[in-house]
Amino acid sequence: CLTVARRAQAIGIDADSEILRVAARRLGARATLHAGSFTTTPLPASDVTVASFSLHHVRTRSAKLRLYRRTHAALRRRGTFLIVDCQPAVDRGVRRQQFDDWLEHLRRAYSPAAARGLLRAWSHEDVYVPLDAEVGLLRDARYRVEVLWRRGAFAVLRAAK
């Protein structure tokens, strides 16, 4: 994004100090980075907010709705909130197939046992909200929502102010 938007500044919020170190190396002086949770750290005014594979860490739908209302309030007029995350199907059979496909994808980089271990570990710390419920939460926060891309359990959403 910063390559295309030459005058843009990035503001990053993450609880993981190693992720912040990597971001600082990659983004340099054009980024201001804050250690903390995006659910409680003050959100600065912005034109665009991006949440990439992070919102599944929000434990409850009510907490997610509060966060979406905060992002909406922080966005400037005509602002956009881009979300990339896992939003599985509601149907149990379809959802099972989506997670089987995800497991198969992980097996490209990990042993079968390690891939299963990752999904098992993530199941204890992550909360995956189905796509239709995610869209509903965003609409409840007064966003206009479009699904820009979907493959299996993963989607890219654009929520416009």
Side-chain angles (χ1 to χ4, degrees):
C1 294
L2 293 179
T3 305
V4 174
R6 300 258 181 228
R7 296 183 323 177
Q9 292 288 313
I11 299 167
I13 301 169
D14 204 295
D16 186 329
S17 60
E18 180 57 30
I19 294 294
L20 292 173
R21 277 193 289 279
V22 170
R25 279 196 307 271
R26 291 176 79 186
L27 301 173
R30 292 180 66 193
T32 303
L33 304 173
H34 303 277
S37 169
F38 53 79
T39 61
T40 56
T41 300
L43 302 176
S46 64
D47 297 310
V48 178
T49 297
V50 178
S52 179
F53 295 105
S54 57
L55 295 174
H56 59 263
H57 293 295
V58 180
R59 304 296 302 164
T60 66
R61 291 183 189 188
S62 61
K64 194 172 266 193
L65 177 58
R66 284 192 302 276
L67 174 63
Y68 290 166
R69 287 179 174 150
R70 290 179 61 231
T71 62
H72 190 277
L75 283 172
R76 293 186 184 105
R77 190 168 162 259
R78 288 182 284 189
T80 300
F81 184 20
L82 292 173
I83 298 167
V84 181
D85 219 318
C86 179
Q87 287 112 4
V90 173
D91 180 271
R92 183 179 298 230
V94 173
R95 186 173 56 246
R96 179 74 262 150
Q97 184 60 54
Q98 288 172 333
F99 280 91
D100 287 347
D101 292 345
W102 190 6
L103 181 61
E104 188 59 36
H105 172 76
L106 289 171
R107 286 182 182 153
R108 294 178 190 165
Y110 302 98
S111 71
R116 283 191 307 276
L118 284 171
L119 284 183
R120 192 171 25 260
W122 294 337
S123 73
H124 298 296
E125 63 187 57
D126 297 345
V127 177
Y128 304 113
V129 175
L131 181 59
D132 62 339
E134 194 79 49
V135 168
L137 289 168
L138 288 161
R139 287 185 176 145
D140 287 348
R142 300 184 328 148
Y143 281 109
R144 291 171 301 156
V145 183
E146 295 291 335
V147 178
L148 300 178
W149 179 88
R150 179 158 176 89
R151 182 169 181 187
F154 299 92
V156 176
L157 307 177
R158 181 185 67 202
K161 193 165 184 178

